[in-house]
Amino acid sequence: MIKILIIDDDAAVRRMTEKLLKRIGYGVLTSCDGESGLAIFKETVVDIVILDFNMPGITGLKVFEKIRELSKEVFVIILTGNDISEKIINNDNLTCIVSKGDGVEVLLDKIRELIKK
C-alpha cells in the first residue's frame, strides 16, 4: 500500500485530502505543522509527502529542506496557494508543485505520475 504523509496547517484541506486519498485506497498520515510532520517522517516510511508551502512556525521550505536531508528518494508534492519558483526544488525530478487552486484532480494526477516513477 502506498503511504502518503500530508503536512498542512489548514485543517479543511488536510481532512478533505486525507478523506479522498483513503477512499482511493492509499494509507494516509497527517500533521498540522512542520515540526510534527518531520517527527512522523522520521519515524515512518512514506512514499509521498504532500507539503503545504505556507505554514506558520517551520515553513514548508524548511520542512522540504529537512526532508531532503533525511531522504533523497521520497516523492514530495509541494502544495501552495501562491506562485513559487520551480528553482526552489532545484530541478528535483522527485518533487513537483501543485497550486491549491488547481483542484484535486491535478493533485491526484501528480500522485499517479510520481508513483509511476
Side-chain angles (χ1 to χ4, degrees):
M1 174 186 292
I2 300 294
K3 281 190 186 175
I4 300 175
L5 170 59
I6 302 167
I7 306 173
D8 196 320
D9 66 312
D10 186 324
V13 170
R14 196 173 58 247
R15 280 193 302 266
M16 186 268 311
T17 307
E18 175 186 20
K19 192 175 190 178
L20 174 67
L21 295 175
K22 281 184 174 180
R23 191 175 317 139
I24 292 170
Y26 298 119
V28 181
L29 303 158
T30 64
S31 171
C32 64
D33 61 47
E35 285 184 32
S36 62
L38 284 171
I40 292 169
F41 184 79
K42 289 175 184 176
E43 295 173 7
T44 310
V45 176
V46 298
D47 301 289
I48 298 174
V49 176
I50 298 174
L51 175 62
D52 182 18
F53 193 74
N54 297 309
M55 293 187 292
I58 299 177
T59 66
L61 179 58
K62 291 288 184 199
V63 173
F64 175 74
E65 290 170 349
K66 293 277 189 195
I67 287 172
R68 278 294 167 251
E69 287 174 15
L70 297 166
S71 172
K72 302 275 190 239
E73 299 164 4
V74 69
F75 297 118
V76 179
I77 298 173
I78 298 174
L79 197 58
T80 183
N82 301 329
D83 287 335
I84 59 174
S85 172
E86 293 281 340
K87 292 178 185 176
I88 288 172
I89 59 175
N90 298 321
N91 299 318
D92 179 346
N93 69 351
L94 301 177
T95 307
C96 61
I97 298 172
V98 174
S99 171
K100 288 183 179 182
D102 289 343
V104 294
E105 277 306 315
V106 172
L107 178 61
L108 291 176
D109 287 344
K110 290 295 183 183
I111 291 170
R112 289 183 200 112
E113 179 184 315
L114 290 174
I115 290 171
K116 287 180 183 178
K117 291 184 180 183

